[in-house]
């Protein structure tokens, strides 16, 4: 690239900013909608309340989610990573 005089600048990413690929955008938005739906125990947060997504009239119905399996798997992946981060403070 340098030979042709093209400079590529590395993107500047601030601490609280992140990039979301287009194919994951809907999953991230649904995960954010679920931010108030965590199940808690005496030990802290244990997971999301999936009934809020799955039951009739839930978020999947409200937002007309077509591929529910893909959406659920994406949310579960994000949830598992979030729980690791949340529970780091307790160790």
């Amino acid at each position: 690239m340098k030979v042709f005089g093209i400079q590529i600048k590395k993107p500047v990413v601030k601490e609280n900013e992140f990039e979301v690929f287009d194919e994951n955008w809907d999953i991230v938005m649904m995960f954010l909608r679920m931010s108030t739906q965590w199940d808690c125990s005496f030990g802290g947060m244990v997971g999301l309340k999936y009934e809020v997504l799955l039951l009739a009239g839930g978020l999947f119905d409200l937002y007309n989610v077509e591929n529910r399996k893909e959406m659920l798997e994406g949310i579960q992946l994000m949830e598992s990573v979030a729980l690791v981060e949340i529970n780091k403070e307790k160790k």
Side-chain angles (χ1 to χ4, degrees):
M1 297 289 229
K2 288 182 181 179
V3 173
F4 298 107
I6 300 171
Q7 294 180 347
I8 298 178
K9 295 180 182 178
K10 292 183 181 180
V12 177
V13 179
K14 296 179 183 173
E15 186 174 325
N16 293 328
E17 292 182 4
F18 53 90
E19 182 178 354
V20 177
F21 293 118
D22 290 339
E23 61 267 20
N24 297 325
W25 184 255
D26 291 335
I27 295 169
V28 171
M29 293 306 297
M30 189 63 74
F31 182 78
L32 292 174
R33 289 182 192 109
M34 293 288 293
S35 66
T36 60
Q37 301 301 319
W38 287 91
D39 266 328
C40 296
S41 73
F42 292 109
M45 293 184 190
V46 293
L48 290 169
K49 297 177 184 177
Y50 288 104
E51 62 271 17
V52 173
L53 292 170
L54 303 170
L55 292 178
L59 291 176
F60 280 179
D61 287 344
L62 184 64
Y63 289 95
N64 299 317
V65 175
E66 291 180 18
N67 192 341
R68 293 174 178 223
K69 183 177 184 275
E70 180 183 349
M71 177 76 71
L72 184 60
E73 289 172 351
I75 290 171
Q76 288 175 321
L77 177 61
M78 293 182 70
E79 173 193 35
S80 66
V81 173
L83 284 170
V84 169
E85 289 299 313
I86 291 167
N87 291 321
K88 271 185 181 177
E89 296 175 9
K90 294 183 174 54
K91 291 183 180 180

